[in-house]
C-alpha cells in the first residue's frame, strides 16, 4: 500500500523559511510514482477548512499555487526519490497550519475529494 510521509515542519519566525518533504513508498523501485499521481500540498489552520496550497504533476508538467502563497512558495519533485518538496519562503503568521501532502491519480487532482493517499501531516508554526 502506498504511504506518504511529510517532514520538515517546525517553528519559524515571520520572514523565515522552511522546506517540507513528502516521500512516497510502498511500491517497487522501478515504479515511477510521480508519473501516475499528482502530489498536492494542503493546509488546515485551527477552526478553518482545509485548503489547497500547491500541486505538481510530472505527467502533465504543470504546477499550481494558491494566490496566497504565489511568489513565496515553490513546489518541486525528485522523481528518482519519489519525493516532492515545498519550499516556503517569507513565511507569515497566516501560514501557520498543519500541512498535508496527498496524491491523486492523473489527470485528477483539482478537487480535494480526488486525492486517494494522505500523509499524517506536519505542523508549521510561524511566530515571533
Amino acid at each position: 500500500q502506498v504511504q506518504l510521509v511529510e517532514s520538515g515542519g517546525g517553528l519559524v519566525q515571520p520572514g523565515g523559511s522552511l522546506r517540507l518533504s513528502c516521500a512516497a513508498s510502498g511500491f517497487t523501485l522501478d515504479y515511477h510514482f510521480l508519473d501516475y499521481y499528482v502530489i498536492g500540498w494542503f493546509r488546515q489552520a485551527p477552526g478553518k477548512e482545509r485548503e489547497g496550497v500547491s500541486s505538481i504533476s510530472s505527467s502533465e508538467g504543470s504546477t499550481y499555487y494558491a494566490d496566497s502563497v504565489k511568489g513565496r512558495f515553490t513546489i518541486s519533485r525528485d522523481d528518482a526519490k519519489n519525493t516532492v518538496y515545498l519550499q516556503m519562503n517569507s513565511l507569515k503568521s497566516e501560514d501557520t497550519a498543519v500541512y498535508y501532502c496527498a496524491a491523486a491519480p492523473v489527470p485528477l487532482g483539482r478537487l480535494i475529494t480526488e486525492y486517494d493517499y494522505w500523509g499524517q501531516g506536519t505542523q508549521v508554526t510561524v511566530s515571533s
Side-chain angles (χ1 to χ4, degrees), residues 65-128:
Y65 297 96
D67 289 341
S68 60
V69 307
K70 194 171 297 183
R72 300 188 297 119
F73 291 10
T74 303
I75 192 168
S76 62
R77 62 188 182 273
D78 187 332
D79 292 347
K81 296 181 178 180
N82 289 312
T83 299
V84 171
Y85 305 95
L86 185 67
Q87 179 67 45
M88 306 186 295
N89 298 326
S90 301
L91 284 163
K92 307 174 181 179
S93 296
E94 62 187 22
D95 295 317
T96 296
V98 177
Y99 283 71
Y100 301 88
C101 69
V106 174
L108 303 181
R110 295 181 176 89
L111 303 175
I112 192 171
T113 55
E114 297 171 345
Y115 286 82
D116 296 327
Y117 303 107
W118 290 82
Q120 81 287 352
T122 184
Q123 177 71 48
V124 172
T125 302
V126 184
S127 176
S128 299

Side-chain angles (χ1 to χ4, degrees), residues 40-58:
W41 286 97
F42 301 82
R43 67 186 182 186
Q44 187 166 22
K48 297 185 178 181
E49 65 181 4
R50 189 169 299 184
E51 63 176 347
V53 176
S54 183
S55 65
I56 188 167
S57 173
S58 59

